[in-house]
Amino acid sequence: MGTVSIRELRNKGGEVIDRVEAGEHVTVTRDGRPVAELRPIRRPPLGGQQVLERWRKLPAVDPDRLRAELDEITDQTL
């Protein structure tokens, strides 16, 4: 969790909001004492139809190729 002064929030508000949007909780201080907290708004959960639509857009996976690639990058002596 980060902390910003009211002055910093006023002068760099866009940057502070970008941090919050990225998931950071930010405490706003006045004269060094906490007075407010900024946190991201939770996104509503995806419905079943939305999950299926996203799943259909995923590229196909070739299991043999995946296995071969994993074998290339892993230590075969394990």
Side-chain angles (χ1 to χ4, degrees):
M1 178 162 21
T3 302
V4 296
S5 66
I6 288 177
R7 178 178 290 190
E8 186 178 359
L9 180 60
R10 182 185 66 225
N11 293 337
K12 297 182 179 181
E15 293 174 21
V16 173
I17 295 300
D18 288 344
R19 289 168 45 192
V20 172
E21 190 175 29
E24 184 177 347
H25 289 215
V26 176
T27 300
V28 181
T29 62
R30 174 185 283 160
D31 298 325
R33 70 187 160 81
V35 294
E37 186 174 276
L38 299 173
R39 59 180 175 75
I41 295 175
R42 292 185 189 192
R43 293 182 180 157
L46 294 176
Q49 188 63 34
Q50 291 171 310
V51 171
L52 287 174
E53 287 173 16
R54 288 184 180 190
W55 179 75
R56 287 184 186 116
K57 293 178 184 177
L58 292 174
V61 176
D62 178 357
D64 294 327
R65 182 174 172 203
L66 175 62
R67 179 59 187 233
E69 290 177 4
L70 290 173
D71 287 344
E72 285 179 23
I73 62 172
T74 55
D75 184 357
Q76 297 301 310
T77 63
L78 296 176

Coordinates of all heavy atoms in Angstrom, one line a residue:
M1 N 0.9 -1.2 0.0 CA 0.0 0.0 0.0 C 0.9 1.2 0.0 O 1.8 1.3 0.8 CB -0.9 0.0 1.2 CG -1.8 1.2 1.2 SD -3.3 1.3 2.2 CE -3.2 0.2 3.5
G2 N 0.6 2.2 -0.9 CA 1.4 3.4 -1.0 C 0.7 4.5 -0.3 O -0.4 4.5 0.2
T3 N 1.5 5.6 -0.1 CA 1.0 6.8 0.6 C 1.3 8.0 -0.3 O 2.4 8.1 -0.9 CB 1.6 7.0 1.9 OG1 1.4 5.8 2.7 CG2 1.1 8.2 2.7
V4 N 0.3 8.9 -0.4 CA 0.6 10.2 -1.1 C 0.0 11.3 -0.3 O -1.0 11.1 0.4 CB -0.1 10.2 -2.5 CG1 0.6 9.2 -3.4 CG2 -1.6 10.1 -2.5
S5 N 0.6 12.5 -0.4 CA 0.0 13.7 0.3 C -1.1 14.3 -0.6 O -1.2 13.9 -1.8 CB 1.1 14.7 0.5 OG 1.6 15.2 -0.7
I6 N -1.9 15.1 0.0 CA -2.9 15.8 -0.8 C -2.3 16.6 -1.9 O -2.8 16.6 -3.0 CB -3.8 16.6 0.2 CG1 -4.7 15.8 1.0 CG2 -4.7 17.6 -0.7 CD1 -5.6 16.5 2.0
R7 N -1.2 17.2 -1.6 CA -0.5 18.0 -2.6 C -0.1 17.1 -3.8 O -0.3 17.4 -5.0 CB 0.7 18.7 -2.1 CG 1.5 19.5 -3.1 CD 2.6 20.2 -2.5 NE 2.0 21.3 -1.7 CZ 2.7 22.3 -1.1 NH1 4.0 22.3 -1.3 NH2 2.1 23.2 -0.4
E8 N 0.5 16.0 -3.5 CA 0.9 15.0 -4.5 C -0.3 14.5 -5.3 O -0.2 14.4 -6.5 CB 1.7 13.9 -3.9 CG 2.3 12.9 -5.0 CD 3.1 11.8 -4.4 OE1 3.2 11.8 -3.1 OE2 3.6 11.0 -5.1
L9 N -1.4 14.3 -4.6 CA -2.6 13.8 -5.3 C -3.1 14.9 -6.3 O -3.5 14.6 -7.4 CB -3.7 13.5 -4.3 CG -5.0 13.0 -4.9 CD1 -4.8 11.7 -5.7 CD2 -6.0 12.7 -3.7
R10 N -3.0 16.1 -5.8 CA -3.5 17.2 -6.7 C -2.6 17.4 -7.9 O -3.0 17.6 -9.0 CB -3.5 18.5 -5.9 CG -4.0 19.7 -6.7 CD -3.9 21.0 -5.9 NE -2.5 21.3 -5.7 CZ -2.0 21.8 -4.6 NH1 -2.7 21.9 -3.5 NH2 -0.7 22.0 -4.4
N11 N -1.2 17.3 -7.7 CA -0.3 17.6 -8.7 C -0.1 16.4 -9.7 O 0.3 16.6 -10.8 CB 1.1 18.0 -8.2 CG 1.0 19.4 -7.5 OD1 0.1 20.2 -7.7 ND2 1.9 19.6 -6.5
K12 N -0.2 15.2 -9.2 CA 0.0 14.0 -10.0 C -1.2 13.0 -9.9 O -1.0 11.8 -9.8 CB 1.3 13.3 -9.4 CG 2.5 14.1 -9.6 CD 3.7 13.4 -9.1 CE 5.0 14.2 -9.2 NZ 6.2 13.5 -8.8
G13 N -2.4 13.6 -9.9 CA -3.6 12.8 -9.8 C -3.7 11.7 -10.8 O -4.1 10.5 -10.4
G14 N -3.3 11.9 -12.0 CA -3.4 10.9 -13.1 C -2.5 9.7 -12.8 O -2.9 8.6 -12.9
E15 N -1.3 10.0 -12.3 CA -0.4 9.0 -12.0 C -0.8 8.1 -10.8 O -0.7 6.9 -10.8 CB 1.0 9.6 -11.7 CG 1.7 10.2 -12.9 CD 3.0 10.9 -12.6 OE1 3.6 10.6 -11.5 OE2 3.4 11.8 -13.3
V16 N -1.4 8.8 -9.8 CA -1.9 8.1 -8.6 C -3.0 7.2 -9.0 O -3.1 6.1 -8.6 CB -2.3 9.1 -7.5 CG1 -3.0 8.4 -6.4 CG2 -1.1 9.9 -7.0
I17 N -4.0 7.7 -9.8 CA -5.1 6.9 -10.3 C -4.6 5.7 -11.1 O -5.2 4.6 -11.0 CB -6.1 7.8 -11.0 CG1 -6.7 8.8 -10.1 CG2 -7.2 6.9 -11.7 CD1 -7.5 8.2 -8.9
D18 N -3.6 5.9 -11.9 CA -3.0 4.8 -12.7 C -2.5 3.7 -11.7 O -2.7 2.5 -12.0 CB -1.9 5.3 -13.6 CG -2.3 6.1 -14.8 OD1 -3.6 6.1 -15.1 OD2 -1.5 6.8 -15.4
R19 N -1.9 4.1 -10.6 CA -1.4 3.1 -9.7 C -2.6 2.4 -9.0 O -2.5 1.1 -8.9 CB -0.6 3.8 -8.6 CG 0.7 4.3 -9.1 CD 1.4 5.3 -8.1 NE 1.4 4.8 -6.7 CZ 1.7 5.6 -5.7 NH1 2.1 6.9 -5.9 NH2 1.7 5.2 -4.4
V20 N -3.6 3.1 -8.7 CA -4.8 2.5 -8.1 C -5.5 1.5 -9.1 O -5.8 0.4 -8.8 CB -5.8 3.6 -7.6 CG1 -7.1 2.9 -7.2 CG2 -5.2 4.4 -6.5
E21 N -5.6 2.0 -10.3 CA -6.2 1.2 -11.4 C -5.4 -0.1 -11.6 O -6.0 -1.2 -11.9 CB -6.3 1.9 -12.7 CG -7.1 1.2 -13.7 CD -7.3 2.1 -15.0 OE1 -6.4 2.9 -15.3 OE2 -8.3 1.9 -15.6
A22 N -4.1 -0.1 -11.3 CA -3.2 -1.3 -11.5 C -3.4 -2.2 -10.3 O -2.7 -3.2 -10.2 CB -1.8 -0.8 -11.7
G23 N -4.1 -1.8 -9.2 CA -4.4 -2.6 -8.1 C -3.8 -2.2 -6.8 O -4.0 -2.8 -5.7
E24 N -3.1 -1.1 -6.8 CA -2.5 -0.6 -5.5 C -3.5 0.2 -4.7 O -4.3 0.9 -5.2 CB -1.3 0.4 -5.9 CG -0.6 0.8 -4.7 CD 0.6 1.7 -5.0 OE1 1.0 1.7 -6.2 OE2 1.2 2.4 -4.1
H25 N -3.4 0.0 -3.4 CA -4.2 0.8 -2.4 C -3.3 1.9 -2.0 O -2.2 1.8 -1.7 CB -4.6 -0.1 -1.2 CG -5.6 -1.1 -1.5 ND1 -6.6 -1.5 -0.6 CD2 -5.8 -1.9 -2.6 CE1 -7.3 -2.4 -1.1 NE2 -6.9 -2.7 -2.3
V26 N -3.9 3.1 -2.0 CA -3.1 4.3 -1.7 C -3.8 5.1 -0.6 O -5.0 5.4 -0.6 CB -3.0 5.3 -3.0 CG1 -2.3 6.5 -2.6 CG2 -2.3 4.5 -4.1
T27 N -3.0 5.4 0.4 CA -3.5 6.2 1.5 C -3.1 7.7 1.3 O -2.0 8.0 0.9 CB -2.9 5.8 2.9 OG1 -3.2 4.4 3.1 CG2 -3.4 6.6 4.0
V28 N -4.1 8.6 1.4 CA -3.9 10.0 1.2 C -3.7 10.6 2.6 O -4.5 10.4 3.5 CB -5.1 10.7 0.5 CG1 -4.9 12.2 0.3 CG2 -5.4 10.0 -0.8
T29 N -2.7 11.4 2.7 CA -2.4 12.1 4.0 C -2.5 13.6 3.9 O -2.3 14.2 2.9 CB -0.9 11.7 4.5 OG1 0.0 12.2 3.5 CG2 -0.7 10.2 4.6
R30 N -2.8 14.2 5.1 CA -2.8 15.6 5.2 C -2.0 15.9 6.5 O -2.2 15.4 7.6 CB -4.2 16.1 5.5 CG -4.3 17.6 5.8 CD -5.6 18.1 6.1 NE -6.4 18.3 4.8 CZ -7.7 18.3 4.8 NH1 -8.4 18.2 5.8 NH2 -8.3 18.5 3.6
D31 N -1.0 16.7 6.3 CA 0.0 17.0 7.4 C 0.5 15.7 8.0 O 0.7 15.6 9.3 CB -0.7 17.9 8.5 CG -1.1 19.2 7.9 OD1 -0.4 19.8 7.0 OD2 -2.2 19.7 8.4
G32 N 0.8 14.7 7.2 CA 1.4 13.5 7.7 C 0.4 12.5 8.3 O 0.9 11.4 8.6
R33 N -0.8 12.8 8.4 CA -1.8 11.8 9.0 C -2.8 11.3 7.9 O -3.2 12.1 7.1 CB -2.5 12.4 10.2 CG -3.5 13.4 10.0 CD -4.0 14.0 11.3 NE -4.5 15.3 10.9 CZ -5.8 15.5 10.3 NH1 -6.5 14.4 10.2 NH2 -6.2 16.7 10.0
P34 N -3.1 10.1 8.0 CA -4.0 9.5 7.0 C -5.4 10.1 7.1 O -5.9 10.3 8.2 CB -4.1 8.0 7.3 CG -3.0 7.8 8.3 CD -2.6 9.1 8.9
V35 N -6.0 10.5 5.9 CA -7.3 11.0 5.9 C -8.2 10.3 4.9 O -9.5 10.5 5.0 CB -7.3 12.5 5.5 CG1 -6.6 13.3 6.7 CG2 -6.6 12.8 4.2
A36 N -7.7 9.6 4.0 CA -8.5 8.9 3.0 C -7.7 7.7 2.4 O -6.5 7.6 2.5 CB -8.9 9.8 1.9
E37 N -8.5 6.8 1.8 CA -7.8 5.7 1.1 C -8.5 5.5 -0.3 O -9.7 5.5 -0.4 CB -8.1 4.4 2.0 CG -7.3 3.2 1.4 CD -7.4 2.0 2.4 OE1 -6.6 1.9 3.3 OE2 -8.3 1.2 2.1
L38 N -7.6 5.3 -1.3 CA -8.1 5.0 -2.6 C -7.8 3.6 -2.9 O -6.7 3.1 -2.6 CB -7.3 5.9 -3.6 CG -7.5 7.4 -3.5 CD1 -6.5 8.1 -4.4 CD2 -8.9 7.8 -3.7
R39 N -8.8 2.9 -3.5 CA -8.6 1.5 -3.8 C -9.3 1.2 -5.1 O -10.3 1.9 -5.4 CB -9.1 0.6 -2.7 CG -10.6 0.8 -2.4 CD -11.0 -0.2 -1.3 NE -12.4 0.1 -0.9 CZ -13.5 -0.2 -1.6 NH1 -13.3 -0.8 -2.8 NH2 -14.7 0.1 -1.2
P40 N -8.9 0.2 -5.9 CA -9.6 -0.1 -7.1 C -11.0 -0.6 -6.8 O -11.2 -1.3 -5.8 CB -8.7 -1.1 -7.8 CG -7.8 -1.7 -6.7 CD -7.8 -0.6 -5.6
I41 N -11.9 -0.3 -7.8 CA -13.3 -0.9 -7.7 C -13.2 -2.3 -8.2 O -12.6 -2.5 -9.3 CB -14.2 0.0 -8.5 CG1 -14.3 1.4 -7.9 CG2 -15.6 -0.6 -8.6 CD1 -15.2 2.4 -8.6
R42 N -13.9 -3.2 -7.5 CA -13.9 -4.6 -8.0 C -14.7 -4.7 -9.3 O -15.8 -4.1 -9.4 CB -14.5 -5.5 -6.9 CG -13.7 -5.6 -5.7 CD -14.3 -6.6 -4.8 NE -13.6 -6.6 -3.5 CZ -13.8 -7.5 -2.6 NH1 -14.7 -8.5 -2.8 NH2 -13.1 -7.4 -1.5
R43 N -14.2 -5.4 -10.2 CA -14.9 -5.7 -11.4 C -16.0 -6.7 -11.2 O -15.7 -7.7 -10.4 CB -14.0 -6.1 -12.5 CG -13.0 -5.1 -12.9 CD -12.1 -5.5 -14.0 NE -11.2 -4.5 -14.4 CZ -10.1 -4.7 -15.0 NH1 -9.7 -5.9 -15.3 NH2 -9.3 -3.7 -15.3
P44 N -17.1 -6.6 -11.8 CA -18.1 -7.7 -11.6 C -17.6 -9.0 -12.2 O -16.9 -9.0 -13.2 CB -19.3 -7.2 -12.4 CG -18.8 -6.1 -13.3 CD -17.6 -5.6 -12.7
P45 N -18.0 -10.1 -11.6 CA -17.5 -11.4 -12.1 C -18.1 -11.7 -13.5 O -19.2 -11.2 -13.8 CB -18.0 -12.4 -11.1 CG -19.1 -11.7 -10.3 CD -18.8 -10.3 -10.4
L46 N -17.3 -12.4 -14.3 CA -17.8 -12.8 -15.6 C -18.9 -13.8 -15.5 O -18.8 -14.7 -14.7 CB -16.6 -13.4 -16.4 CG -15.5 -12.5 -16.8 CD1 -14.4 -13.2 -17.5 CD2 -15.9 -11.3 -17.6
G47 N -19.8 -13.7 -16.4 CA -20.9 -14.7 -16.5 C -20.4 -15.9 -17.3 O -19.4 -15.8 -18.0
G48 N -21.2 -16.9 -17.3 CA -20.9 -18.1 -18.0 C -20.7 -17.9 -19.5 O -19.8 -18.4 -20.2
Q49 N -21.6 -17.1 -20.1 CA -21.6 -16.8 -21.5 C -20.3 -16.1 -21.9 O -19.7 -16.4 -22.9 CB -22.8 -16.0 -21.9 CG -22.9 -15.8 -23.4 CD -23.1 -17.2 -24.1 OE1 -23.7 -18.1 -23.6 NE2 -22.6 -17.3 -25.3
Q50 N -19.9 -15.1 -21.0 CA -18.7 -14.4 -21.3 C -17.4 -15.3 -21.2 O -16.5 -15.1 -22.0 CB -18.5 -13.2 -20.3 CG -19.5 -12.1 -20.5 CD -19.5 -11.1 -19.4 OE1 -19.5 -11.5 -18.2 NE2 -19.4 -9.9 -19.7
V51 N -17.4 -16.2 -20.3 CA -16.3 -17.1 -20.1 C -16.2 -18.0 -21.4 O -15.1 -18.2 -21.9 CB -16.4 -18.0 -18.9 CG1 -15.4 -19.1 -18.8 CG2 -16.3 -17.1 -17.6
L52 N -17.3 -18.5 -21.8 CA -17.3 -19.3 -23.0 C -16.9 -18.6 -24.3 O -16.1 -19.1 -25.1 CB -18.7 -19.9 -23.3 CG -19.2 -21.0 -22.3 CD1 -20.6 -21.4 -22.6 CD2 -18.3 -22.2 -22.5
E53 N -17.3 -17.3 -24.4 CA -16.9 -16.5 -25.6 C -15.4 -16.3 -25.5 O -14.7 -16.4 -26.6 CB -17.6 -15.2 -25.5 CG -19.0 -15.2 -25.9 CD -19.8 -13.9 -25.8 OE1 -19.1 -12.9 -25.6 OE2 -21.0 -14.0 -25.8
R54 N -14.8 -16.0 -24.4 CA -13.4 -15.9 -24.3 C -12.6 -17.2 -24.5 O -11.6 -17.2 -25.2 CB -13.0 -15.3 -22.9 CG -13.4 -13.9 -22.7 CD -12.9 -13.4 -21.4 NE -13.3 -12.0 -21.2 CZ -12.8 -11.2 -20.2 NH1 -12.0 -11.7 -19.3 NH2 -13.2 -10.0 -20.1
W55 N -13.2 -18.3 -24.0 CA -12.5 -19.6 -24.2 C -12.5 -19.9 -25.7 O -11.5 -20.5 -26.2 CB -13.3 -20.6 -23.4 CG -12.8 -22.0 -23.6 CD1 -11.7 -22.5 -23.0 CD2 -13.4 -23.0 -24.3 NE1 -11.5 -23.8 -23.3 CE2 -12.5 -24.2 -24.2 CE3 -14.5 -23.1 -25.2 CZ2 -12.8 -25.4 -24.8 CZ3 -14.7 -24.4 -25.8 CH2 -13.9 -25.4 -25.6
R56 N -13.5 -19.6 -26.4 CA -13.6 -19.9 -27.9 C -12.5 -19.2 -28.7 O -12.1 -19.6 -29.7 CB -15.0 -19.6 -28.4 CG -16.0 -20.6 -28.0 CD -17.4 -20.4 -28.6 NE -18.3 -21.3 -28.0 CZ -19.4 -20.9 -27.3 NH1 -19.6 -19.6 -27.1 NH2 -20.2 -21.7 -26.8
K57 N -12.1 -18.0 -28.1 CA -11.1 -17.2 -28.8 C -9.6 -17.6 -28.6 O -8.7 -17.1 -29.2 CB -11.3 -15.7 -28.5 CG -12.6 -15.1 -28.9 CD -12.7 -13.7 -28.5 CE -14.1 -13.2 -28.9 NZ -14.3 -11.8 -28.4
L58 N -9.5 -18.5 -27.6 CA -8.1 -19.0 -27.3 C -7.5 -19.8 -28.4 O -8.3 -20.6 -29.1 CB -8.1 -19.8 -26.0 CG -8.4 -19.1 -24.7 CD1 -8.5 -20.1 -23.6 CD2 -7.4 -18.0 -24.4
P59 N -6.2 -19.7 -28.7 CA -5.7 -20.6 -29.7 C -5.7 -22.1 -29.3 O -5.6 -22.4 -28.2 CB -4.2 -20.1 -29.9 CG -3.9 -19.4 -28.6 CD -5.3 -18.9 -28.0
A60 N -5.8 -22.9 -30.3 CA -5.7 -24.4 -30.1 C -4.3 -24.7 -29.6 O -3.3 -24.2 -30.0 CB -6.0 -25.1 -31.3
V61 N -4.3 -25.7 -28.7 CA -3.0 -26.2 -28.2 C -2.7 -27.6 -28.7 O -3.6 -28.5 -28.6 CB -3.1 -26.3 -26.6 CG1 -1.8 -26.9 -26.1 CG2 -3.3 -24.9 -26.0
D62 N -1.6 -27.7 -29.3 CA -1.1 -29.0 -29.8 C -0.4 -29.7 -28.6 O 0.8 -29.3 -28.3 CB -0.2 -28.9 -31.0 CG 0.3 -30.2 -31.5 OD1 0.1 -31.2 -30.9 OD2 1.0 -30.1 -32.6
P63 N -0.9 -30.7 -28.0 CA -0.3 -31.3 -26.8 C 1.1 -31.9 -27.1 O 2.0 -31.9 -26.3 CB -1.3 -32.4 -26.4 CG -2.3 -32.6 -27.5 CD -2.2 -31.4 -28.3
D64 N 1.3 -32.5 -28.3 CA 2.6 -33.1 -28.7 C 3.6 -32.0 -28.8 O 4.8 -32.2 -28.3 CB 2.5 -33.9 -30.0 CG 1.6 -35.1 -29.8 OD1 1.6 -35.7 -28.7 OD2 0.9 -35.5 -30.8
R65 N 3.3 -30.9 -29.4 CA 4.2 -29.8 -29.5 C 4.5 -29.2 -28.2 O 5.7 -28.8 -27.9 CB 3.7 -28.7 -30.5 CG 4.6 -27.6 -30.7 CD 4.1 -26.6 -31.8 NE 4.9 -25.4 -31.8 CZ 4.6 -24.3 -32.2 NH1 3.3 -24.1 -32.7 NH2 5.4 -23.3 -32.2
L66 N 3.5 -29.0 -27.3 CA 3.7 -28.5 -26.0 C 4.7 -29.4 -25.2 O 5.6 -28.9 -24.6 CB 2.4 -28.4 -25.3 CG 2.4 -27.9 -23.8 CD1 3.0 -26.5 -23.7 CD2 1.1 -28.0 -23.2
R67 N 4.5 -30.7 -25.3 CA 5.3 -31.6 -24.6 C 6.8 -31.5 -25.1 O 7.7 -31.5 -24.3 CB 4.8 -33.0 -24.7 CG 5.6 -34.1 -24.1 CD 5.7 -33.8 -22.6 NE 6.6 -34.6 -21.9 CZ 6.3 -35.4 -20.8 NH1 5.1 -35.3 -20.3 NH2 7.2 -36.1 -20.3
A68 N 6.9 -31.4 -26.4 CA 8.3 -31.3 -27.0 C 9.0 -30.0 -26.5 O 10.1 -30.0 -26.2 CB 8.2 -31.3 -28.5
E69 N 8.2 -28.9 -26.5 CA 8.8 -27.6 -26.0 C 9.2 -27.7 -24.6 O 10.2 -27.2 -24.1 CB 7.8 -26.5 -26.3 CG 7.7 -26.2 -27.8 CD 6.7 -25.1 -28.1 OE1 6.1 -24.5 -27.1 OE2 6.4 -24.8 -29.3
L70 N 8.3 -28.3 -23.8 CA 8.6 -28.4 -22.3 C 9.9 -29.3 -22.1 O 10.7 -29.0 -21.3 CB 7.4 -29.0 -21.6 CG 6.2 -28.1 -21.4 CD1 5.1 -28.8 -20.8 CD2 6.6 -26.9 -20.6
D71 N 10.0 -30.4 -22.9 CA 11.1 -31.2 -22.8 C 12.4 -30.5 -23.2 O 13.5 -30.8 -22.6 CB 11.0 -32.5 -23.7 CG 10.0 -33.5 -23.1 OD1 9.6 -33.4 -21.9 OD2 9.5 -34.3 -23.9
E72 N 12.3 -29.6 -24.1 CA 13.5 -28.8 -24.5 C 14.0 -27.9 -23.4 O 15.2 -27.7 -23.3 CB 13.2 -27.9 -25.7 CG 13.1 -28.7 -27.0 CD 12.7 -27.7 -28.2 OE1 13.0 -26.5 -28.1 OE2 12.2 -28.2 -29.2
I73 N 13.1 -27.3 -22.6 CA 13.5 -26.3 -21.7 C 13.7 -26.9 -20.3 O 14.2 -26.2 -19.4 CB 12.6 -25.1 -21.6 CG1 11.2 -25.6 -21.2 CG2 12.5 -24.4 -22.9 CD1 10.2 -24.4 -20.9
T74 N 13.3 -28.1 -20.0 CA 13.5 -28.7 -18.7 C 14.7 -29.7 -18.6 O 15.1 -30.2 -19.6 CB 12.2 -29.4 -18.2 OG1 11.9 -30.4 -19.2 CG2 11.0 -28.5 -18.1
D75 N 15.2 -29.8 -17.4 CA 16.3 -30.7 -17.2 C 15.8 -32.1 -17.2 O 15.0 -32.5 -16.3 CB 17.0 -30.4 -15.9 CG 18.2 -31.2 -15.6 OD1 18.5 -32.1 -16.4 OD2 18.8 -31.0 -14.5
Q76 N 16.2 -32.9 -18.2 CA 15.7 -34.3 -18.3 C 16.3 -35.3 -17.3 O 15.8 -36.4 -17.2 CB 16.0 -34.8 -19.7 CG 15.4 -34.0 -20.8 CD 13.8 -34.0 -20.7 OE1 13.2 -35.0 -20.5 NE2 13.2 -32.8 -20.8
T77 N 17.2 -34.8 -16.5 CA 17.8 -35.7 -15.5 C 17.0 -35.7 -14.2 O 17.3 -36.4 -13.3 CB 19.3 -35.3 -15.2 OG1 19.3 -34.0 -14.6 CG2 20.1 -35.4 -16.4
L78 N 16.0 -34.8 -14.1 CA 15.2 -34.8 -12.9 C 14.2 -35.9 -12.8 O 13.7 -36.4 -13.6 CB 14.4 -33.4 -12.9 CG 15.2 -32.2 -12.8 CD1 14.3 -30.9 -12.9 CD2 16.0 -32.1 -11.5

